[in-house]
Amino acid sequence: MARPVDLQDDVATVLIPSEQIQAKVAELGTRVSSDYAGREVILVSVLKGSLPFMADLMRAITIPVQIDLMEVSSYGGTTTESTGLVRILKDLSSSIEGKDVLIVEDIIDTGLTLNYLIRYLRGKNPASLRICTLLDKPARRLVEIAIDYLGFTIPDQFVVGYGLDYGERYRNLPFIGVLRPEVYSG
Ligand code: IMP
């Protein structure tokens, strides 16, 4: 992959501008704060794509929260396709037994990764387990996932930015965008 002078030169369209993301994150933070009022929630984020969303969402929540981080990778597949076979690269640091857990995800595409994660975390007996995702791409869903908190539903397009990558690049773009076709072929 050639190195662009400016990452934004590789972007064909901005799907969701930064201001719109921030407004939505604030709204989600308010909802979480009110739904979990009087309780303490553990936000479990899945690296690396969910990092900016987690960082912004936790600061939009006004009740006490704890955070934990997991990292998973899918076996096989290509850069833009998921396989559903998941390997845990980094597990939880603390027990979630009897705790209220909210999974903070960047995007749900086929749903295979999250489906695996939900089963894995349920096995650890949390008091409750809910799902918060910034983006939902329902067109390609292979397993049903009940989303409790949703930022945006997007069309069946591969997106980058605000944590999401293509070949580990573009995570630092402040918006969600679609790359120019040449970027994939180059
Ligand atoms: P799923 O298992 O197909 O739902 O895929 C989930 C993971 O695939 C996400 O957490 C992302 O890491 C990655 N992914 C899915 N769609 C996109 C996309 O449009 N851009 C970047 N990464 C994506």
Side-chain angles (χ1 to χ4, degrees):
M1 209 182 343
R3 213 168 268 174
V5 176
D6 189 320
L7 272 188
Q8 307 219 9
D9 295 342
D10 284 352
V11 175
T13 29
V14 173
L15 212 59
I16 311 169
S18 169
E19 305 71 41
Q20 230 171 294
I21 297 174
Q22 294 309 324
K24 184 61 78 176
V25 171
E27 187 188 310
L28 290 171
T30 304
R31 276 184 54 205
V32 169
S33 306
S34 114
D35 291 355
Y36 288 90
R39 288 141 77 191
E40 185 169 27
V41 63
I42 303 185
L43 306 176
V44 173
S45 156
V46 190
L47 295 171
K48 306 170 190 164
S50 307
L51 195 62
F53 182 39
M54 173 72 142
D56 286 342
L57 181 68
M58 63 189 270
R59 286 176 292 175
I61 295 175
T62 52
I63 58 161
V65 296
Q66 291 182 31
I67 62 166
D68 211 335
L69 304 168
M70 288 187 71
E71 185 169 5
V72 300
S73 82
S74 27
Y75 282 110
T78 62
T79 322
T80 55
E81 299 285 331
S82 162
T83 57
L85 295 170
V86 175
R87 186 161 51 126
I88 294 179
L89 300 178
K90 190 214 165 293
D91 206 339
L92 295 171
S93 310
S94 312
S95 166
I96 56 166
E97 190 167 347
K99 308 277 178 65
D100 290 310
V101 174
L102 181 60
I103 300 179
V104 178
E105 256 290 21
D106 48 2
I107 185 166
I108 308 178
D109 186 16
T110 62
L112 293 171
T113 309
L114 194 53
N115 188 51
Y116 173 89
L117 210 62
I118 290 168
R119 286 160 182 256
Y120 179 76
L121 294 177
R122 276 214 186 107
K124 296 186 175 293
N125 300 316
S128 69
L129 184 65
R130 286 187 183 171
I131 314 295
C132 175
T133 185
L134 180 69
L135 303 175
D136 181 24
K137 215 196 279 186
R140 286 165 34 97
R141 190 77 87 256
L142 295 176
V143 283
E144 202 178 315
I145 304 271
I147 302 172
D148 301 284
Y149 302 94
L150 170 65
F152 305 92
T153 301
I154 61 165
D156 185 10
Q157 275 180 305
F158 191 82
V159 293
V160 296
Y162 197 67
L164 292 165
D165 75 307
Y166 172 64
E168 290 299 325
R169 213 178 259 175
Y170 307 102
R171 295 191 195 276
N172 54 322
L173 289 172
F175 52 78
I176 303 284
V178 178
L179 293 174
R180 304 158 80 95
E182 312 89 85
V183 179
Y184 300 109
S185 49

